[in-house]
């Protein structure tokens, strides 16, 4: 049975839908990531679950009980914010103890729980330091155990690693995942960083302008984005518009307005003559100069080369076929195709798929127009 459940939840701020008819079920012990661009409604979703905002419509359940009419302190959730929100004048011990003191536990029990918690994040010995005497990563660990110390039913994390540099962030991701497994707590993690979402979670929900546009495992969401927005927000994609001119078990054939014939994998709900968009990831596109056979083949000229260290990104102008971005591993030093090189671009039909237009939604005014 699902542990946290949103049932057709809408949150409207005047004409802005921060959450639009969202239904979502999260399993007990699951590590769920909600990913979307800035302003898409991620924080609102957490606030709806934590109880800082009430839904305009819909219901929220934890462990089978309706909680959207309950005040935050009765919901038993732990929260970590991006900016740590530690009490600057308090020691690590007092920061962690804060939630427990409010709960009237006795001194010995509190001390014991704090020790356990600081052990969990390897911060024993730091009890008497103040937040400004800790590194960013250590502060974030204090914020994490402060949220966990009351043993909440659900842990909500709002871009908790956003303020850390990339290396430390990656390290904290691994730690966070380990701690989450150890504690076994149902976790909802919010981020605008798609890589972070893919690497951390059991399941990912992609949100765009308050609409939950796709839900699935990291692999599903990356390998088979169902719509244009997801295909471009989670990683990058090349898109080709055209008409379906053949359709069978072996796949779909799409003919572009310029006459290029492209092949993609089949999926249900397609029909002959339909106008569709095919998508393929830059790293699934191959560049050669020789003669090759492939499901998909375009000729073009390299117009832009970006060296990225472990890979090189090429922009290829294929005339009427449009522009194609190809990401190639740098297996050998040198050997790159300089701008101006005539190349052949190929990809398999398995790595090529039809994406739907973005889901219909109400028009939204620009942010800040209120
Ligand atoms: P995210 O966390 O993904 O950046 P938010 O949930 O903070 O997005 O915001 C979603 C949308 O709701 C934005 O358009 C934002 O401006 C709007 N919004 C959020 N909170 C309020 C509020 N208290 N009053 C008015 N609009 C709000
Ligand atoms: Mg936010």
């Amino acid at each position: 049975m699902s542990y946290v459940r949103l049932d057709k939840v809408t949150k409207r701020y005047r004409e802005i839908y921060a959450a639009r008819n969202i239904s979502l079920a999260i399993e007990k012990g699951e590590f769920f990531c909600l990913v979307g661009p800035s302003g898409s409604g991620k924080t609102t979703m957490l606030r709806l679950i934590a109880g800082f905002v009430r839904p305009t419509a819909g219901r929220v359940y934890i462990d089978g009980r309706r909680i959207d009419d309950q005040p935050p302190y009765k919901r038993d959730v732990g929260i970590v914010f991006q900016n740590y929100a530690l009490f600057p004048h308090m020691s690590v011990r007092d920061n962690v103890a804060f939630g427990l003191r409010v709960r009237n536990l006795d001194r010995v029990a509190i001390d014991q729980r704090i020790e356990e918690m600081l052990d969990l994040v390897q911060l024993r010995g730091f009890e008497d330091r103040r937040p400004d005497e800790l590194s960013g990563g250590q502060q974030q660990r204090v914020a994490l155990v402060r949220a966990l110390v009351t043993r909440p039913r659900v842990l909500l994390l709002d871009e908790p690693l956003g303020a850390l540099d990339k290396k430390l962030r990656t390290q904290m991701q691994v730690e966070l995942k380990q701690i989450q497994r150890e504690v076994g707590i149902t976790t909802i993690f919010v981020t605008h960083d798609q890589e972070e979402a893919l690497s951390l979670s059991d399941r990912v929900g992609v949100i765009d302008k308050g609409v939950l546009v796709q839900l699935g495992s990291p692999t599903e969401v990356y390998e088979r984005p169902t719509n244009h927005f997801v295909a471009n927000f989670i990683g990058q994609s090349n898109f080709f518009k055209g008409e379906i001119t053949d359709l069978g078990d072996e796949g779909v054939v799409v003919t572009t307005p310029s006459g290029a014939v492209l092949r993609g994998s089949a999926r249900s709900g397609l029909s002959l003559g339909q106008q569709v968009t095919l998508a393929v990831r830059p790293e699934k596109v191959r560049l050669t100069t020789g003669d090759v056979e492939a499901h998909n083949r375009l000729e073009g000229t390299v117009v832009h080369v970006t060296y990225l260290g472990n890979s090189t990104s090429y922009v290829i102008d294929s005339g009427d076929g449009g522009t194609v971005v190809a990401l190639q591993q740098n297996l050998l030093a040198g050997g790159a195709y300089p701008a101006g090189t005539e190349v052949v671009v190929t990809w398999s039909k398995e790595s090529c798929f039809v994406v739907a237009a973005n889901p219909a939604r109400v028009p939204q005014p620009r942010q800040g127009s209120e």
Side-chain angles (χ1 to χ4, degrees):
M1 203 190 80
S2 61
Y3 197 64
V4 178
R5 189 158 71 84
L6 279 74
D7 183 23
K8 301 198 182 95
V9 170
T10 291
K11 177 66 196 176
R12 198 157 56 81
Y13 292 107
R14 296 189 211 182
E15 68 274 44
I16 293 179
Y17 283 86
R20 191 170 160 77
N21 202 26
I22 290 183
S23 291
L24 174 64
I26 294 161
E27 301 301 314
K28 190 162 190 173
E30 184 173 3
F31 197 119
F32 183 83
C33 266
L34 186 68
V35 63
S38 173
S40 56
K42 303 182 295 297
T43 296
T44 300
M45 179 99 106
L46 293 190
R47 293 169 72 86
L48 284 162
I49 297 167
F52 302 130
V53 296
R54 293 273 172 101
T56 310
R59 295 174 172 197
V60 183
Y61 300 83
I62 295 181
D63 200 11
R65 269 191 47 218
R66 189 171 169 196
I67 50 130
D68 52 85
D69 46 2
Q70 305 249 311
Y73 66 89
K74 284 199 175 160
R75 298 191 185 195
D76 203 8
V77 301
I79 307 183
V80 179
F81 301 100
Q82 173 169 356
N83 51 3
Y84 317 135
L86 294 177
F87 303 111
H89 56 287
M90 284 189 196
S91 67
V92 166
R93 177 186 290 108
D94 290 341
N95 263 285
V96 177
F98 187 77
L100 294 175
R101 298 238 162 88
V102 175
R103 280 167 197 235
N104 291 326
L105 283 173
D106 72 68
R107 180 85 224 177
V108 178
I110 288 178
D111 283 351
Q112 197 189 341
R113 189 86 68 83
I114 291 170
E115 278 180 21
E116 270 169 39
M117 282 293 148
L118 291 178
D119 263 343
L120 187 68
V121 292
Q122 288 152 29
L123 280 177
R124 280 293 286 279
F126 289 77
E127 290 83 350
D128 296 319
R129 295 214 193 173
R130 281 199 328 257
D132 64 359
E133 295 170 316
L134 300 174
S135 72
Q138 289 168 335
Q139 288 181 42
Q140 200 50 296
R141 280 187 226 142
V142 175
L144 180 62
V145 293
R146 192 181 58 177
L148 287 173
V149 76
T150 58
R151 303 202 176 122
R153 298 187 290 176
V154 180
L155 178 63
L156 306 175
L157 302 158
D158 194 355
E159 314 218 19
L161 310 179
L164 306 177
D165 65 57
K166 190 164 169 57
K167 228 179 182 134
L168 185 57
R169 202 163 75 217
T170 312
Q171 192 187 323
M172 286 291 292
Q173 285 168 6
V174 175
E175 259 181 53
L176 180 63
K177 185 89 194 206
Q178 270 168 0
I179 292 167
Q180 190 265 344
R181 276 211 204 98
E182 219 169 302
V183 180
I185 189 168
T186 310
T187 302
I188 305 177
F189 182 101
V190 152
T191 179
H192 65 270
D193 180 339
Q194 41 101 10
E195 230 175 84
E196 187 163 86
L198 295 178
S199 66
L200 273 176
S201 49
D202 298 319
R203 257 183 338 145
V204 182
V206 186
I207 187 171
D208 178 31
K209 300 196 174 80
V211 179
L212 192 62
V213 289
Q214 193 169 352
L215 194 63
S217 70
T219 327
E220 278 162 6
V221 169
Y222 187 81
E223 297 294 337
R224 283 294 176 269
T226 50
N227 63 69
H228 200 283
F229 173 81
V230 177
N232 227 19
F233 182 70
I234 306 291
Q236 248 194 310
S237 295
N238 292 297
F239 296 107
F240 305 94
K241 283 193 169 143
E243 184 186 321
I244 297 184
T245 47
D246 196 11
L247 188 60
D249 290 343
E250 342 54 81
V252 56
V253 178
V254 173
T255 306
T256 71
S258 64
V261 177
L262 303 174
R263 291 172 181 82
S265 45
R267 78 156 212 227
S268 59
L270 300 174
S271 53
L272 213 56
Q274 193 183 342
Q275 293 292 326
V276 291
T277 301
L278 279 176
V280 63
R281 300 289 190 186
E283 75 275 14
K284 307 251 159 100
V285 172
R286 293 193 56 193
L287 284 194
T288 51
T289 46
D291 205 20
V292 279
E293 287 248 332
H295 297 134
N296 293 291
R297 185 179 187 284
L298 292 173
E299 289 172 12
T301 310
V302 173
V303 289
H304 202 76
V305 183
T306 310
Y307 177 71
L308 299 167
N310 61 358
S311 60
T312 299
S313 171
Y314 295 92
V315 179
I316 297 109
D317 179 5
S318 78
D320 288 344
T323 303
V324 183
V325 177
L327 193 68
Q328 308 293 289
Q329 288 290 312
N330 291 330
L331 299 175
L332 302 167
Y337 302 109
T341 311
E342 301 288 321
V343 289
V344 178
V345 184
T346 63
W347 65 96
S348 73
K349 71 179 179 206
E350 289 76 23
S351 56
C352 191
F353 45 89
V354 174
V355 288
N358 290 329
R361 63 173 88 89
V362 286
Q364 300 230 353
R366 283 184 182 283
Q367 266 193 59
S369 63
E370 282 204 314

